[in-house]
Each structure stands twice: as C-alpha cells, then as structure tokens.
C-alpha cells in the first residue's frame, strides 16, 4: 500500500548542524590525493551547494580545465567518501532541535521518509548513522545523482513512485534550511517547509515564500505533512 505522505529532508542545517570540519577536509584531501593541488573551501559559499559543484569550484581555482575536472571528478568523489567515512565523528550531539522527534513522529504516522541532500552518498549516510538518525530514513537522493537540488528532489519522488512506495495521492514535502531547498520543492510542485536552523535567517527564508516556515523542527506538526482527511 502506498504511503499517505513522503517527507524528504535535507541534512546539513536541517537534521544536523555544526558537524565539524571533517566534510570540508574530506573534499580538500581528495583533491590533493588525486591531483596534488592544495586547495581550500574557505571562500566558497558551500551552504546549499552540491558536493560535486564544490569540488568543481576547487579544481577551477587550481587552474584545472573543465574537461580535465570532469575526468577527475569520479576519482575525487570516491576518495572523498572513503576519507569521510574513516574520519566522521560522533554526531549525536549535533542533531538539530526537534529533528529526532520529528522523524520519529512522521514515521510512526505512516509517512515514508528520505533524504535530498548535497552530500555525496556515503558521506550523507555516514552522517545519519553517526547522528543516530539512519533508522528513520528509507532512501535518499545524493549529490552525485543529479546536476542540481531540483533534480535530486525529482529523482527522489520518481524513485519512490517506481518502487510503489507512493502514488498520485501521496502528499510530498521537502524540508530544508536553504533557499535552494525551497526552490527545488517549487520546481517539482511539492510542498516546501523551511527551517531556520542553518546559516540562513528566517527573514531571508521568508522572502522565498516557503509553504511553511519554522524556527526549527520542534515546530513541525504531523498535520503539516500528512493529509488531514484520509488520502484526499
């Protein structure tokens, strides 16, 4: 039977925050190992970006041509993920306010939950594992799977539909902390819920007109993502 609701979550700034430098360090180390170039993310506005785009920016700054960057990217992605999985710290104290309870509640009420994130696959799942949130999440769409966040959201919905987990009556919501999450939801015609637990203030998020704006996930109510009257 198809789920009544599909709830898709961003990771950084939405489910966990202040997770330490390990993610950035993994990208930097991967570029160094594969290319020999010493790079940095200090000047890159990484919030809301996909990991692949961050790596491409780093390579461009190092003078690598676009064609060469495309050839190098798969190796860099593989090394970055291995590096992060080895170094990821305990993140149980980095879970955003209300995130654990929000996940538990929507799952208990029958929603299907997944990730739509700019993290590479193994990095994203490792964060969820180390944060103690993995058990609440069925599947995910990750940085290397599409060219932008809207494409990731589209892929997540398509995957859920192809697996028979949802149907045309399922309510779909994307929850994130960045304007890119709001825009991705709008591009796919699904509900957007913005949370001000990342680096973007509530006032700025409001300018992008999310369907719902919350200070944090403690304000999430099941009725915001689940149909109120059966599966209408």
């Amino acid at each position: 039977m198809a789920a009544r609701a599909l709830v898709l979550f961003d990771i950084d700034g939405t489910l966990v925050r202040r997770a330490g430098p390990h993610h950035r360090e993994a990208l930097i180390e991967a570029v160094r190992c594969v290319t020999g170039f010493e790079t940095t993310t200090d000047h890159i506005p990484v919030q809301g970006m996909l990991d692949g785009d961050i790596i491409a920016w780093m390579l461009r700054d190092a003078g690598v041509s676009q064609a060469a960057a495309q050839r190098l990217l798969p190796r860099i992605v593989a090394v970055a993920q291995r590096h992060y999985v080895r170094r990821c710290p305990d993140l149980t104290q980095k879970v955003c306010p209300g995130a654990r309870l929000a996940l538990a509640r929507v799952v208990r009420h029958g929603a299907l939950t997944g990730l739509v994130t700019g993290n590479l696959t193994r990095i994203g799942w490792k964060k969820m594992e180390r944060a103690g949130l993995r058990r609440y999440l069925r599947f995910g769409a990750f940085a290397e799977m599409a060219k932008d966040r809207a494409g990731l959201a589209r892929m997540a919905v398509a995957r859920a539909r192809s697996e028979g987990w949802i149907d045309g009556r399922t309510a779909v919501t994307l929850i994130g902390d960045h304007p890119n999450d709001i825009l991705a939801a709008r591009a796919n015609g699904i509900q957007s819920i913005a949370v001000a637990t990342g680096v973007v203030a509530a006032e700025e998020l409001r300018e992008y007109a999310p369907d719902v704006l919350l200070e944090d996930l403690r304000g999430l109510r099941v009725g915001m993502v689940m149909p109120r009257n059966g599966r209408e």
Side-chain angles (χ1 to χ4, degrees), residues 30-99:
V31 172
R32 187 191 66 77
C33 287
V34 174
T35 71
F37 291 121
E38 297 293 342
T39 58
T40 180
T41 63
D42 289 348
H43 61 293
I44 301 175
V46 298
Q47 291 79 16
M49 291 182 66
L50 307 189
D51 278 354
D53 292 335
I54 298 170
I55 294 169
W57 191 322
M58 295 162 69
L59 293 173
R60 187 168 59 248
D61 285 350
V64 178
S65 70
Q66 184 175 355
Q70 289 177 342
R71 291 195 302 271
L72 293 167
L73 186 60
R75 289 171 57 200
I76 295 171
V77 163
V79 172
Q81 293 185 98
R82 288 199 301 269
H83 184 86
Y84 186 82
V85 167
R86 290 196 301 266
R87 303 288 181 84
C88 181
D90 181 271
L91 298 176
T92 54
Q93 300 305 310
K94 305 297 184 179
V95 176
C96 290

Side-chain angles (χ1 to χ4, degrees), residues 121-139:
T121 299
R122 293 182 66 196
I123 292 177
W125 282 131
K126 191 65 177 182
K127 286 182 181 179
M128 294 297 89
E129 176 189 323
R130 298 292 282 156
L133 303 178
R134 176 67 180 86
R135 63 193 177 111
Y136 299 112
L137 297 153
R138 180 78 168 270
F139 73 113

